[in-house]
Every structure is written in structure tokens, then in C-alpha cells.
Amino acid sequence: MVRVGSTRSSRRLIVNADDYGLSRGVSIGIIEAAETGVVTSASMMVNLPGFDDTVARARSCPSLSFGLHLNLTTGNPLTAAPSLTRRKTGQFYSLPLLVARASLGRVDSSEVTRECAAQIDRMIEVGISPTHLDSHRHIHAHPALWAAVHEAASSRSISNVRVPTEPLWTNARDWRATLKKTGLLMCARISRRRDEHSAAVQFFGLSLQGGRSFAARLFALIPKLPLGTTELMTHPGYADSALSEHDGYTWQREEELRVLCSKELRDLVQRNGIELAGFGHPTARTASAAKIAQHR
């Protein structure tokens, strides 16, 4: 459940950029979206090549709050995790295989807890205290994995764990997004997280993805944001060769970056009286307000 501080605004928006550290181009784009756009928070991957560069860029942007983007589907684990990895390569199973194994009870929950804790600790060891936790491809939302992930987060005093349930009315005509939203909503209900979470924060972003349609969908959503706190999941970045090795969402990230850095979006946020914020990061609120004023 996301816990946030009090605010004078009736609507508070955390613009979170997922996949920080997935590739150098993605990390560069996210920092740019924080420095010149509306991004206030990012989720960091810690088990992929280039981690030192990822950390150095994070330190260059002190106004950005960072959480863990738990990764159980790409690259190698930080711990011994036989039930999560392929025997021959030692790499994580792909998303479909991991989902299947978890659904069949073939994943050791203690391995999930250890790996999640190790990824959190890697951030802490380099001096970055995670303000929140979510995961690559939302794998932590799987009912067979949720409790193990939550145990690791709680052991490191992380209370902001994403429950990725987006209202079905958002871009309902996008059947792919609706299918994904329905599946994640079912996962949350099975894990008994939906009711507790919905009272504290709203989540959007699943149905915004789509390249050329991102701007129109986002601009239509902003005026409709509910009262209280909303997390907006985004994926800005630059498409480089390393990204294409891991992910099929490539050029679309550059489109998201362009929109998130646009004056039109900043003006829209301000006109609607929405306060930008980070997860438990007071300087994010100040920096975000100054950013909007500076770029007007």
C-alpha cells in the first residue's frame, strides 16, 4: 500500500518512470524526463550490466526518488535461485515460463524473498534508500509471489509496494490493455490487496502505452484524475541496441519522453491544480513545482 504525506492540493500525482537501468539509453531518458519534464520518481533495476553507470546517473539527480524495480525475468539473479532460473544458463526464466511455474506451485517462495531482499540491499549498499517497490512486467503481483515479495519489502521497511490495478474504464476500447488490467485486478483480489490499496492511491499507466497514442491518452486522463494520490506509470527513454536485446517496447519510449518533457503537459498539470510528488521524498515536491515554473 502506498503511504504518502499530507498535501494542500486535493490531487497529487506521482509520475514514476519504470525500467531505470534496463539500458543506458533508458536511464539517460529517465534522468532527462526528471530534469526537464514531469517525472518525479523512478524504479531501478539492479541486476543488469552497467549498474555502476546506473547509480552514477541516479546520484546526478537528487530530486528524483528511486525505488526497486524488482527483476525476476531478465538476466541473472543476485542469489542462488534454482526455482527461478534455467539450469543450463543460470538466467531467469522468461515471463511466460515464470508465470506458468508460479501458477503450478513450482516456485520456492523463500527464494523469491531472498532475491528480492538482495536486490533491495544492492541499492542500499550504494547509498540509495528505496522509497518504493514494483517489478518488471508486474511479476510481483502474481498471487503466488506477492506474499514473498511483501515479506522482503517489509523486512527492509519499504511500505510503498505497487498494486497495479487500473480502472477498467480507462481506454476501454484497447482490448490488449483491458485484458492485462483484468488479469492484474484478479491477481490483486486473490492476494486480497485491492480493497486496502484502492483507498490510499489510484494507479494508471497500463492503458497509456501505445506509442503514437500516448499523448492523446495521457492528455485525456490528466483532467479526470481522482481526488487524492495517483501513481502514473511511464516508460520514457532512448532506444539503444542494449534495450532491443531485453525488450520490445523501444521507439515508443522516445515518444513517451517527448510528451513527458513537453510544455503542453506541464501547463495541463498546472491548470488542473495537480501537485507533483515523489514517494516519501519531500524535495521532489519542491523541485517539481519549481520545474513547472521554470519551463513556462
Side-chain angles (χ1 to χ4, degrees):
M1 179 178 67
V2 174
R3 304 180 186 277
V4 294
S6 61
T7 176
R8 291 174 294 180
S9 175
S10 59
R11 292 192 293 174
R12 197 163 185 248
L13 181 62
I14 300 170
V15 184
N16 191 81
D18 283 17
D19 294 345
Y20 183 80
L22 181 58
S23 76
R24 186 182 182 192
V26 169
S27 296
I28 290 172
I30 289 174
I31 295 298
E32 182 177 329
E35 292 177 338
T36 65
V38 298
V39 166
T40 57
S41 174
S43 298
M44 179 185 293
M45 303 174 80
V46 303
N47 71 314
L48 297 178
F51 180 65
D52 290 343
D53 180 74
T54 297
V55 172
R57 294 184 190 280
R59 288 173 176 160
S60 73
C61 192
S63 67
L64 194 59
S65 63
F66 285 92
L68 175 68
H69 198 51
L70 175 64
N71 181 14
L72 300 178
T73 57
T74 302
N76 296 85
L78 301 182
T79 62
S83 71
L84 298 172
T85 54
R86 299 176 185 272
R87 183 179 303 176
K88 291 184 178 180
T89 65
Q91 294 188 326
F92 283 123
Y93 286 111
S94 65
L95 177 65
L97 284 176
L98 179 56
V99 169
R101 290 177 61 82
S103 300
L104 293 172
R106 299 181 63 184
V107 169
D108 186 335
S109 60
S110 65
E111 292 179 7
V112 175
T113 300
R114 285 197 300 271
E115 178 62 24
C116 183
Q119 293 190 22
I120 295 170
D121 289 344
R122 192 169 197 198
M123 291 184 66
I124 295 173
E125 288 164 3
V126 297
I128 300 175
S129 298
T131 59
H132 61 282
L133 185 149
D134 48 53
S135 67
H136 196 44
R137 305 297 179 82
H138 310 292
I139 190 60
H140 77 290
H142 193 291
L145 306 181
W146 170 267
V149 171
H150 197 267
E151 179 183 348
S154 297
S155 72
R156 302 303 190 267
S157 300
I158 299 175
S159 58
N160 305 324
V161 180
R162 177 189 288 169
V163 180
T165 53
E166 180 174 335
L168 294 177
W169 57 259
T170 314
N171 299 312
R173 294 182 179 180
D174 185 337
W175 67 268
R176 290 183 179 85
T178 298
L179 185 62
K180 182 184 293 186
K181 288 186 289 185
T182 301
L184 287 168
L185 180 60
M186 291 175 62
C187 286
R189 285 179 173 168
I190 293 171
S191 301
R192 298 181 180 179
R193 304 306 303 176
R194 172 61 181 171
D195 293 338
E196 178 184 353
H197 174 76
S198 60
V201 68
Q202 286 280 2
F203 170 83
F204 291 91
L206 294 170
S207 58
L208 295 183
Q209 293 177 270
R212 304 302 179 199
S213 62
F214 177 78
R217 292 179 177 185
L218 178 57
F219 279 48
L221 174 64
I222 292 297
K224 299 177 183 177
L225 289 176
L227 298 178
T229 300
T230 296
E231 178 191 2
L232 178 68
M233 176 188 69
T234 65
H235 294 83
Y238 287 105
D240 54 16
S241 58
L243 173 62
S244 61
E245 294 177 7
H246 298 297
D247 200 277
Y249 199 70
T250 53
W251 64 267
Q252 299 93 330
R253 294 176 188 265
E254 297 188 2
E255 179 66 10
E256 290 200 25
L257 176 60
R258 181 189 68 79
V259 174
L260 292 170
C261 292
S262 68
K263 180 179 183 300
E264 291 79 8
L265 179 57
R266 292 191 295 269
D267 289 346
L268 181 63
V269 168
Q270 188 171 52
R271 282 199 309 272
N272 282 273
I274 296 169
E275 178 189 7
L276 295 176
F279 285 101
H281 197 315
T283 58
R285 295 195 292 274
T286 304
S288 298
K291 225 169 11 178
I292 288 179
Q294 177 183 356
H295 291 282
R296 283 187 62 80

